[in-house]
C-alpha cells in the first residue's frame, strides 16, 4: 500500500497500541512462544495477523508466528485465496482440511442456528493441530465487541456472568488461547480491513443466518452506543472490575459467615434535642 493518510495512520497506531497493551496486561505472549494465529478469512483474523506481525518486529522478546486456516469444505469456498495472500507475507502457514460442514448440515435441522456446533468442531480440530505443531499459544481474532456481546448472551440465555477472557487455558490443559484484539473495537477493525483491502472470505454456513441471537444483542448494543456513546467501553471495563461481595455468587464470596465486626468503630451519633 502507498502512504497512509493521517486518519489511517492514527487508526493503525491505535490498533497496534491497544493490541500491545492487551498482550502486556495479560502476559499473552512470552519469550520463545510459538503462536498459532487462527485465520478464518474474515476482517478480525486478518487484522490480528497484521498487528501480531508488527508486534513481532518491535517486541523486546522473540516469538514465532504460524498462520493456520481450517478449510471446512463449505461449497464454493475459494481455497486459493488464503494461501496466495499468506505467500505474499512470507510466513509459515498451514491449511487444515476437515469436513465439518457436512457434519453440521447433517445434525442441525434446516432453519436452526449452526454456530454452536460449528465452533465446537472447529475448536477441537484447531486445538489438536496446535498440539501437533508444538504451538504454545493459539491466537483468536475476537475483539472487544465480541466479548461484550458474549457477556450479554450468557446472561440472557444461560443465566451466567461470563464472557470471552483475553487469555484462557483450554479444558484439556494443553492449549492456551489468547485474544490480542480484546481492547480493540469492531468499528476500528472494519475500517482497518477496508483500507488494507484484505481478501475477505465470507462464511456461507453461519454468517448469513437471520435468527442468530448474537445479532440481536449486537443490534441492542449498537443502539445503546448510538444513544450513549462510550457505553460499550464502560461495559467492557466492568468485566475488569468485578466486586464479588456486591453480587450473589456464594462460591465467590462467603455470605454465610458474614457477621457484624464487633471490633469496628461505632457510628452511633448522639442526637441533641433542640
Amino acid at each position: 500500500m502507498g502512504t497512509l493518510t493521517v486518519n489511517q495512520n492514527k487508526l493503525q497506531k491505535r490498533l497496534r497500541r491497544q493490541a500491545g497493551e492487551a498482550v502486556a496486561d495479560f502476559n499473552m505472549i512470552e519469550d520463545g512462544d510459538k503462536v498459532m494465529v487462527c485465520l478464518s478469512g474474515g476482517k478480525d483474523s486478518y487484522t490480528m495477523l497484521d498487528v501480531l506481525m508488527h508486534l513481532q518486529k518491535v517486541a523486546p522478546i522473540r516469538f514465532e508466528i504460524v498462520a493456520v486456516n481450517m478449510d471446512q469444505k463449505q461449497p464454493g469456498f475459494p481455497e486459493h485465496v488464503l494461501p496466495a495472500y499468506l505467500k505474499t507475507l512470507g510466513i509459515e502457514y498451514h491449511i487444515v482440511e476437515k469436513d465439518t460442514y457436512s457434519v453440521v448440515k447433517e445434525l442441525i435441522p434446516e432453519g436452526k442456528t449452526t454456530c454452536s456446533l460449528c465452533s465446537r468442531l472447529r475448536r477441537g480440530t484447531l486445538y489438536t493441530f496446535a498440539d501437533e505443531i508444538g504451538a504454545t499459544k493459539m491466537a483468536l481474532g475476537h475483539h472487544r465487541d465480541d466479548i461484550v456481546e458474549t457477556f450479554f448472551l450468557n446472561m440472557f440465555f444461560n443465566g451466567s456472568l461470563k464472557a470471552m477472557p483475553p487469555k484462557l487455558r483450554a479444558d484439556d490443559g494443553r492449549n492456551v488461547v489468547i485474544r490480542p484484539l480484546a481492547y480493540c473495537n469492531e468499528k476500528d477493525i472494519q475500517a482497518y480491513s477496508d483500507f488494507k483491502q484484505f481478501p475477505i472470505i465470507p462464511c456461507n454456513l453461519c454468517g448469513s443466518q437471520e435468527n442468530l441471537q448474537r445479532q440481536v444483542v449486537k443490534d441492542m448494543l449498537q443502539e445503546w452506543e448510538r444513544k450513549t456513546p462510550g457505553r460499550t467501553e464502560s461495559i467492557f471495563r466492568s468485566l475488569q472490575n468485578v466486586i464479588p461481595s456486591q453480587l450473589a455468587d456464594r462460591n465467590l464470596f462467603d455470605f454465610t459467615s458474614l457477621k457484624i465486626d464487633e471490633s469496628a468503630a461505632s457510628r452511633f451519633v448522639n442526637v441533641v434535642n433542640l
Side-chain angles (χ1 to χ4, degrees):
M1 299 219 22
T3 304
L4 302 183
T5 67
V6 172
N7 287 337
Q8 289 172 343
N9 188 51
K10 286 182 178 179
L11 174 61
Q12 181 168 260
K13 286 183 176 180
R14 182 163 62 250
L15 286 171
R16 289 175 173 179
R17 172 179 55 79
Q18 290 172 336
E21 289 174 353
V23 168
D25 286 351
F26 293 92
N27 194 31
M28 291 186 188
I29 301 176
E30 300 169 88
D31 192 50
D33 267 342
K34 184 173 186 177
V35 182
M36 185 176 107
V37 180
C38 300
L39 291 179
S40 65
K43 67 183 190 310
D44 305 328
S45 57
Y46 276 126
T47 299
M48 175 178 63
L49 176 61
D50 183 276
V51 169
L52 285 179
M53 289 182 66
H54 170 73
L55 289 179
Q56 186 184 42
K57 295 176 182 176
V58 301
I61 59 173
R62 293 180 177 273
F63 63 93
E64 296 179 56
I65 289 178
V66 180
V68 174
N69 168 256
M70 182 175 164
D71 180 354
Q72 298 176 266
K73 297 305 176 184
Q74 298 175 33
F77 181 77
E79 299 178 358
H80 65 285
V81 172
L82 270 167
Y85 175 73
L86 294 170
K87 284 178 183 176
T88 67
L89 300 181
I91 64 171
E92 179 183 349
Y93 72 89
H94 300 274
I95 306 297
V96 180
E97 298 186 5
K98 186 80 169 181
D99 188 4
T100 60
Y101 179 88
S102 297
V103 176
V104 170
K105 297 302 287 185
E106 179 181 347
L107 296 179
I108 303 296
E110 192 67 32
K112 298 293 184 179
T113 56
T114 59
C115 286
S116 179
L117 177 59
C118 180
S119 62
R120 287 202 305 273
L121 294 172
R122 184 172 63 249
R123 188 165 56 243
T125 301
L126 291 173
Y127 280 172
T128 300
F129 190 73
D131 199 23
E132 289 176 1
I133 65 174
T136 52
K137 301 288 170 57
M138 196 169 103
L140 303 181
H142 299 120
H143 45 69
R144 184 201 66 186
D145 298 70
D146 286 327
I147 293 171
V148 173
E149 288 163 15
T150 301
F151 170 71
F152 280 102
L153 282 168
N154 280 312
M155 182 167 60
F156 291 163
F157 302 104
N158 295 330
S160 61
L161 291 180
K162 68 176 185 177
M164 293 174 170
K167 186 178 181 181
L168 170 73
R169 184 171 64 192
D171 293 338
D172 62 10
R174 297 187 61 83
N175 298 99
V176 173
V177 173
I178 60 174
R179 296 182 168 98
L181 301 184
Y183 290 173
C184 303
N185 69 66
E186 185 173 18
K187 185 177 179 181
D188 281 350
I189 292 171
Q190 182 65 67
Y192 190 68
S193 175
D194 289 343
F195 93 74
K196 292 286 284 187
Q197 298 181 338
F198 294 133
I200 303 299
I201 302 174
C203 174
N204 59 8
L205 176 60
C206 59
S208 60
Q209 295 178 98
E210 297 179 354
N211 55 343
L212 290 178
Q213 289 298 340
R214 179 173 292 276
Q215 186 60 50
V216 175
V217 171
K218 182 187 288 288
D219 292 343
M220 176 191 75
L221 290 169
Q222 288 176 347
E223 179 65 13
W224 285 359
E225 191 69 25
R226 186 185 65 79
K227 291 181 178 179
T228 312
R231 177 170 287 187
T232 304
E233 176 61 29
S234 180
I235 295 170
F236 181 78
R237 286 201 308 272
S238 74
L239 299 180
Q240 300 173 284
N241 188 28
V242 179
I243 307 174
S245 65
Q246 304 302 302
L247 297 174
D249 191 330
R250 290 171 292 167
N251 294 316
L252 290 181
F253 189 79
D254 186 7
F255 293 100
T256 303
S257 302
L258 204 60
K259 294 180 175 63
I260 292 175
D261 183 355
E262 298 291 350
S263 65
S266 174
R267 291 192 295 178
F268 177 77
V269 177
N270 288 319
V271 177
V272 178
N273 293 322
L274 297 179

